[in-house]
């Protein structure tokens, strides 16, 4: 599946990445530069000076502007060139493209498509990331694969049994049935693994004397946003009927931003709503998440390499666990066709 859906919000950076300096990144094939104004408002511009094309990310922030590192032209947060050293007059129309930008849920969001369509209400809900009732770990990975392969990975969690044996994996995952439903440009993929031993991460993050009932409730929002409500409770304690009192819940929140056809940016938060002040637990969960997602990153790079060496007439197969992946890919295909 190639191409990028441009009329969508993507995460350009974690809020914490953007301080006093400028940050360059490629988003959906576009080089962009990010910086904050003195008031702390984020701005995202084309990362290419309109004079002699030097990336502005090689320059620096000066007050509310970014200054090109070559001949010192300065651009404001709207991309307008407002100063040219050595002359009082700025050539008419001098400037670079600016992108709709919003800071929300500890992320800087960018809309790479038609600015007229950039409605902030379309940013998907990630409130767990900075809700005071939750504590979250966060991280970023640079991934050497197409973004869709990472979305596929998150929509088919049968892989945890094989790839994440030391953290999220446990026997019985693949035997539990999946329930997949579509709702507009969202897909829900639910799985309950009943009366089985907890995987290592949950055993360390909770207190379970015996087997557990465990849930993986995935919501994918087009094009690349995945929120997974995961957790477990003592077997038979009624978690599936809504009683989670004897269990633990973690929101495993992922959002992926295409860089090129063969690379993407992977941002994640893991948020929990219990033992909020337990720093040892925070460290334990951060370590488990980093370990598990790092394993995915390695798999994805190997998968992309293998895809690159396959001939054009090579075709794979689909299996039952792909139900959610296939639904999501169908929606993405429709959105890509609509933009084309
Ligand atoms: S290339 Fe940017 S000021 Fe000359
Ligand atoms: Fe994984």
């Amino acid at each position: 599946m190639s191409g990028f859906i441009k009329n969508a919000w993507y995460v350009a950076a974690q809020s914490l990445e953007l301080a006093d300096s400028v940050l360059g990144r490629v988003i959906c094939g576009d080089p962009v530069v990010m910086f904050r104004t003195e008031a702390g408002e984020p701005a995202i511009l084309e990362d290419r000076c309109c004079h002699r094309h030097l990336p502005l990310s090689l320059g620096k922030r000066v007050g509310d502007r970014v200054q090109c590192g070559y001949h010192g032209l300065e651009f404001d947060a709207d991309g307008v060139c407002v100063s040219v050293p050595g002359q009082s007059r700025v050539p008419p129309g001098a400037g670079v493209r600016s992108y709709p930008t919003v800071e929300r849920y500890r992320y800087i969001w960018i809309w790479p498509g038609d600015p007229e369509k950039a409605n902030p209400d379309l940013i998907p809900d990630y409130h767990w990331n900075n809700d005071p009732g939750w504590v979250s770990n966060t991280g970023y990975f640079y991934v050497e694969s197409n973004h869709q392969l990472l979305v596929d990975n998150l929509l088919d969690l049968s892989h945890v049994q094989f790839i994440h044996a030391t953290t999220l994996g446990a026997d019985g995952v693949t035997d539990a049935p999946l329930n997949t439903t579509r709702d507009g440009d969202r897909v829900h993929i639910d799985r309950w693994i009943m009366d089985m031993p907890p995987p290592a991460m949950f055993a360390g993050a909770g207190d379970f004397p015996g087997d557990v009932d465990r849930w993986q409730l995935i919501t994918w929002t087009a094009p690349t946003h995945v929120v997974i409500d995961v957790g477990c409770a003592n077997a038979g304690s009624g978690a599936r009927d809504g009683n989670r009192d004897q269990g633990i819940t973690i929101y495993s929140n992922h959002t992926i931003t295409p860089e090129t056809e063969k690379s993407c940016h992977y941002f994640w938060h893991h948020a929990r709503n219990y033992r909020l002040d337990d720093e040892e637990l925070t460290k334990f969960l951060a370590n488990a998440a980093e370990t598990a997602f790092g394993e995915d990153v390695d798999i994805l790079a190997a998968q992309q390499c293998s895809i690159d060496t396959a001939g054009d007439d090579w075709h794979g197969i689909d299996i039952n666990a792909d139900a959610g992946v296939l639904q999501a890919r169908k929606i993405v295909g429709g959105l890509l066709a609509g933009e084309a």
Side-chain angles (χ1 to χ4, degrees):
M1 182 162 275
S2 63
F4 309 124
I5 293 170
K6 293 275 190 125
N7 286 320
W9 290 103
Y10 293 99
V11 170
Q14 304 174 84
S15 290
L16 58 83
E17 290 182 278
L18 209 52
D20 288 339
S21 52
V22 295
L23 175 65
R25 193 160 268 163
V26 173
I27 308 278
C28 294
D30 292 358
V32 302
V33 58
M34 298 169 244
F35 68 102
R36 288 188 190 276
T37 63
E38 289 195 312
E41 292 296 322
I44 306 182
L45 307 179
E46 175 184 3
D47 192 14
R48 187 182 289 111
C49 180
C50 61
H51 176 224
R52 291 292 181 262
H53 301 93
L54 190 74
L56 293 173
S57 55
L58 295 178
K60 63 179 180 188
R61 187 180 77 98
V62 177
D64 282 340
R65 306 168 178 177
V66 58
Q67 183 187 63
C68 181
Y70 202 170
H71 312 97
L73 267 63
E74 291 181 6
F75 301 85
D76 69 12
D78 295 323
V80 177
C81 179
V82 287
S83 171
V84 179
Q87 61 187 69
S88 55
R89 193 168 158 273
V90 174
V96 296
R97 178 177 174 189
S98 72
Y99 291 81
T101 304
V102 172
E103 184 160 22
R104 191 176 292 175
Y105 310 133
R106 294 200 175 125
Y107 290 136
I108 312 289
W109 296 83
I110 182 173
W111 180 276
D114 178 356
E116 296 287 314
K117 297 184 173 158
N119 177 358
D121 293 344
L122 298 174
I123 293 174
D125 181 17
Y126 282 97
H127 76 273
W128 304 270
N129 296 359
N130 59 343
D131 184 316
W134 296 74
V135 166
S136 63
N137 300 116
T138 183
Y140 164 85
F141 285 102
Y142 180 74
V143 183
E144 293 177 284
S145 83
N146 182 278
H147 59 281
Q148 190 62 43
L149 298 183
L150 178 47
V151 174
D152 293 352
N153 168 286
L154 293 163
L155 300 193
D156 172 13
L157 295 181
S158 64
H159 78 266
V160 303
Q161 189 168 331
F162 305 97
I163 295 180
H164 305 311
T166 64
T167 52
L168 311 172
D171 288 346
V173 174
T174 50
D175 295 331
L178 281 178
N179 182 31
T180 304
T181 51
R182 176 176 174 174
D183 135 37
D185 286 346
R186 287 205 178 92
V187 174
H188 301 282
I189 304 148
D190 296 348
R191 173 187 265 134
W192 282 85
I193 305 137
M194 304 299 281
D195 201 0
M196 294 292 287
M201 189 184 86
F202 288 130
D207 184 16
F208 302 107
D211 286 352
V212 295
D213 295 339
R214 176 183 176 197
W215 59 90
Q216 299 169 331
L217 311 178
I218 306 171
T219 299
W220 168 80
T221 304
T224 54
H225 310 301
V226 182
V227 168
I228 314 178
D229 168 5
V230 291
C232 60
N234 290 325
S237 61
R240 196 169 188 170
D241 300 320
N243 172 21
R244 293 189 180 187
D245 290 353
Q246 293 185 51
I248 57 172
T249 294
I250 292 173
Y251 267 79
S252 180
N253 296 342
H254 312 254
T255 179
I256 300 140
T257 304
E259 184 195 51
T260 68
E261 289 286 356
K262 295 184 182 179
S263 57
C264 60
H265 309 287
Y266 180 11
F267 302 92
W268 60 269
H269 272 81
H270 247 200
R272 72 175 192 277
N273 62 352
Y274 67 100
R275 286 161 56 192
L276 299 183
D277 297 324
D278 186 337
E279 288 187 12
E280 281 305 306
L281 178 59
T282 301
K283 273 189 219 149
F284 170 80
L285 285 170
N287 194 33
E290 284 273 350
T291 302
F293 304 153
E295 289 163 346
D296 289 315
V297 168
D298 291 345
I299 289 282
L300 290 159
Q303 191 187 3
Q304 181 69 59
C305 264
S306 180
I307 288 169
D308 290 345
T309 55
D312 287 343
D313 54 353
W314 190 91
H315 293 291
I317 55 142
D318 298 315
I319 60 174
N320 287 349
D322 293 317
V325 171
L326 296 176
Q327 281 270 11
R329 280 184 168 239
K330 195 169 157 199
I331 293 169
V332 167
L335 292 169
L336 282 169
E339 289 198 359

